[in-house]
């Protein structure tokens, strides 16, 4: 990042000159009351660009809430050197300062170093530590002994590898910075008490970590409701169902059930479909209605076929459903597949299998079939 900035030195100097003129207006006889702060802002922008590698717009934004004293540069310079001694590249330094300008005032030996060393000791070597710091600097503003250590140890117990921890944190940095003891830990303890195995908790942490941000009362409600539905913790769909229920209050849940009933489903069918494919109830009312209309009225599918294959209502209409239905309609008109073929079976095939079984297999008999399906981009998948 630093190289690019230095490579555009004339342009950058012109911009900085304009900034200087904007912030500082002096004359031989008068000095505006805010000249000191304007000069400080101008210097801060220059320092952030020249010494920290920030782009101009980022430097301007940071300077509005953070000032650097040009007569006391020892602290920010020592912080930058400290970061680079831990393998922070220029891009890492710039991004960290953008997100956490006050890091330039941090105590390196008494504050940052013990936390950095803790993560390195636990395997965050090479680029893993800079990646973690840039991901969410709030992690390094928390107490090492009261927050970081117990949080890390609990995540490590379930996720095992540092790469998995980083993957979970990339989806939900709050796991190490948001009310961990007040929210996340009680929810994990609840799942353990209910008999959810460690590997399933790990799956939740990696795929839906924000579910653990719900209040403990909300999670207790979700766990209790799953029991009433007969969905046990050892079932494959338990974690998925838990994340859906935890997101919906009773009113939202009831409204979604009523919406399905309005398009012909019974409540028993909705609950049955939910147990097989929980994410179904996260679909918008607009999508459910339009998909049901298409399948029932355009494709002439039986309602029971849709109920038995709830995933059909979650697929992308434009990228999957419509192109495949277009191909199947052509093949049926050419008598290449039977008219009573279960369309749902073809819609659920993987992209590779559908290409092989319904496009490549008949391309020589139906010119332009690939184009009907979506062109050469489909073949690249």
């Amino acid at each position: 990042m630093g190289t690019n900035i230095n490579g555009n030195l004339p342009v950058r100097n012109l911009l900085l000159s304009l900034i200087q003129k904007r912030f500082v207006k002096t004359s031989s006889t008068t000095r505006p009351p805010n000249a000191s702060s304007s000069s400080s802002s101008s210097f801060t922008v220059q320092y952030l660009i020249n010494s920290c590698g920030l782009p101009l717009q980022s430097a301007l934004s940071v300077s509005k809430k953070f000032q650097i004293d040009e007569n006391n540069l020892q602290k920010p310079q020592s912080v930058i050197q400290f970061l680079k001694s831990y393998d922070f590249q220029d891009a890492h330094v710039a991004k960290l300062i953008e997100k956490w300008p006050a890091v330039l005032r941090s105590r390196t030996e008494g504050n940052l170093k013990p936390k950095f060393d803790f993560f390195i000791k636990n395997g965050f070597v090479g680029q893993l530590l800079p990646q973690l710091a840039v991901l969410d600097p709030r992690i390094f503003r928390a107490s090492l002994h009261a927050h970081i250590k117990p949080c890390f140890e609990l995540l490590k117990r379930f996720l095992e590898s540092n790469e998995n921890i980083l993957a979970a944190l990339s989806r939900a940095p709050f796991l190490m910075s948001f009310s961990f003891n007040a929210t996340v830990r009680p929810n994990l303890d609840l799942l353990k008490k209910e008999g959810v195995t460690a590997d399933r908790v790990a799956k939740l942490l990696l795929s839906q970590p924000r579910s653990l941000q719900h209040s403990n009362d909300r999670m207790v409600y979700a766990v209790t409701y799953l029991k009433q539905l007969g969905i046990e913790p050892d079932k494959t769909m338990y974690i998925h169902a838990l994340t859906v229920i935890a997101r919906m209050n009773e009113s939202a849940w009831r409204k979604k059930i009523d919406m399905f009933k309005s398009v012909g489903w019974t409540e028993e069918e909705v609950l049955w479909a939910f147990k097989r494919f929980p994410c179904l109830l996260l679909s918008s009312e607009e999508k459910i209605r339009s998909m049901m209309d298409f399948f029932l009225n355009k494709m002439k599918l039986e309602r029971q076929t849709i109920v038995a294959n709830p995933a059909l209502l979650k697929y992308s209409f434009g990228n999957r459903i419509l192109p495949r239905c277009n191909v199947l309609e052509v093949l049926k008109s050419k008598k290449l597949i039977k008219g009573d073929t279960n369309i749902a079976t073809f819609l659920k095939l993987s992209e590779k299998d559908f290409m092989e079984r319904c496009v490549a297999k008949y391309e020589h008999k139906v010119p332009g079939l690939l184009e009907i399906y979506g062109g050469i981009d489909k073949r690249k998948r």
Side-chain angles (χ1 to χ4, degrees):
M1 183 175 293
T3 301
N4 291 336
I5 293 172
N6 292 334
N8 294 309
L9 193 58
V11 175
R12 186 183 58 186
N13 287 342
L14 175 59
L15 290 171
L16 291 177
S17 175
L18 293 174
I19 294 168
Q20 184 73 26
K21 291 178 181 178
R22 175 185 174 186
F23 283 121
V24 184
K25 296 180 179 180
T26 60
S27 69
S28 59
T29 59
T30 63
R31 181 181 178 86
N34 64 344
S36 178
S37 61
S38 297
S39 177
S40 177
S41 296
S42 177
F43 178 81
T44 296
V45 171
Q46 295 182 51
Y47 187 86
L48 291 172
I49 293 174
N50 294 332
S51 299
C52 305
L54 272 69
L56 174 60
Q57 289 303 317
S58 295
L60 287 169
S61 177
V62 169
S63 71
K64 293 177 181 178
K65 52 192 174 185
F66 181 84
Q67 295 296 309
I68 296 173
D69 183 359
E70 61 183 303
N71 297 314
N72 186 17
L73 297 179
Q74 183 177 356
K75 175 67 74 174
Q77 288 173 346
S78 68
V79 170
I80 293 172
Q81 290 304 312
F82 171 81
L83 294 174
K84 291 186 175 181
S85 73
Y86 278 85
D87 293 328
F88 279 64
Q89 303 300 315
D90 290 346
H92 293 132
V93 173
K95 184 59 68 174
L96 179 62
I97 294 171
E98 280 184 37
K99 291 187 173 184
W100 183 24
V103 69
L104 292 173
R105 294 180 184 150
S106 294
R107 292 179 295 111
T108 54
E109 292 300 315
N111 185 14
L112 294 179
K113 189 176 188 303
K115 298 171 184 177
F116 280 22
D117 290 345
F118 170 80
F119 280 104
I120 289 174
K121 180 182 178 181
N122 284 279
F124 277 74
V125 295
Q127 295 301 293
L128 286 178
L129 179 63
Q131 288 173 17
L132 180 64
V134 168
L135 185 64
D136 189 351
R138 290 177 298 174
I139 294 171
F140 293 94
R141 291 155 61 181
S143 166
L144 175 60
H145 296 287
H147 194 97
I148 294 176
K149 282 186 176 181
C151 171
F152 182 86
E153 288 165 3
L154 192 61
L155 291 178
K156 187 83 169 184
R157 192 173 89 205
F158 290 107
L159 298 178
E160 298 182 350
S161 74
N162 295 322
E163 286 74 17
N164 281 343
I165 292 176
L166 195 63
L169 291 175
S170 68
R171 292 184 175 89
F174 75 84
L175 287 173
M176 271 201 179
S177 59
F178 170 84
S179 304
F180 184 83
N181 286 322
T183 305
V184 178
R185 183 186 292 276
N187 287 339
L188 289 174
D189 290 342
L190 171 66
L191 296 179
K192 181 181 178 181
K193 179 182 176 182
E194 291 297 319
V196 181
T197 59
D199 64 314
R200 292 185 188 275
V201 174
K203 183 178 181 180
L204 178 63
L205 284 165
L206 288 170
S207 62
Q208 296 288 339
R210 291 192 177 278
S211 299
L212 296 168
Q213 192 175 6
H214 295 296
S215 70
N216 190 242
D217 288 345
R218 187 78 218 151
M219 291 293 280
V220 169
Y221 163 79
V223 165
T224 303
Y225 193 69
L226 291 183
K227 284 182 181 179
Q228 296 174 4
L229 293 177
I231 305 177
E232 299 296 330
D234 60 346
K235 300 298 183 183
T236 303
M237 286 296 171
Y238 183 86
I239 290 298
H240 299 290
L242 178 73
T243 62
V244 173
I245 297 295
R247 288 176 58 176
M248 302 174 68
N249 58 34
E250 292 183 54
S251 175
W253 173 264
R254 189 72 252 166
K255 183 178 179 181
K256 193 63 64 98
I257 297 290
D258 290 341
M259 184 272 295
F260 272 96
K261 290 170 70 174
S262 73
V263 294
W265 293 46
T266 67
E267 185 161 342
E268 290 72 22
E269 287 172 338
V270 178
L271 295 178
W272 182 87
F274 172 74
K275 293 176 184 179
R276 294 191 63 188
F277 191 70
C279 292
L280 172 67
L281 267 74
L282 295 180
S283 297
S284 69
E285 179 175 345
E286 180 183 5
K287 179 170 183 177
I288 294 297
R289 291 188 182 282
S290 63
M291 294 287 271
M292 286 293 295
D293 179 68
F294 176 80
F295 285 133
L296 293 175
N297 300 317
K298 169 68 176 176
M299 300 309 298
K300 307 302 180 184
L301 263 65
E302 295 291 334
R303 184 180 63 81
Q304 287 298 330
T305 299
I306 305 172
V307 173
N309 298 276
L312 295 180
L313 298 176
K314 282 292 288 182
Y315 293 143
S316 168
F317 181 76
N319 292 329
R320 186 183 188 117
I321 299 298
L322 185 59
R324 292 192 182 193
C325 285
N326 287 339
V327 168
L328 294 173
E329 289 284 275
V330 170
L331 296 181
K332 285 170 64 176
S333 69
K334 301 286 186 183
K335 303 289 193 290
L336 294 173
I337 60 174
K338 296 180 180 179
D340 60 352
T341 297
N342 187 349
I343 293 176
T345 300
F346 290 101
L347 296 180
K348 293 192 299 182
L349 290 174
S350 69
E351 184 67 29
K352 179 176 180 293
D353 287 344
F354 187 84
M355 278 291 296
E356 290 177 355
R357 291 176 57 177
C358 300
V359 181
K361 181 179 178 179
Y362 299 110
E363 263 191 292
H364 65 289
K365 295 182 180 180
V366 184
L369 188 61
L370 180 61
E371 284 68 28
I372 291 173
Y373 185 41
I376 60 174
D377 286 343
K378 292 282 188 180
R379 176 161 281 159
K380 294 178 181 178
R381 295 182 183 180

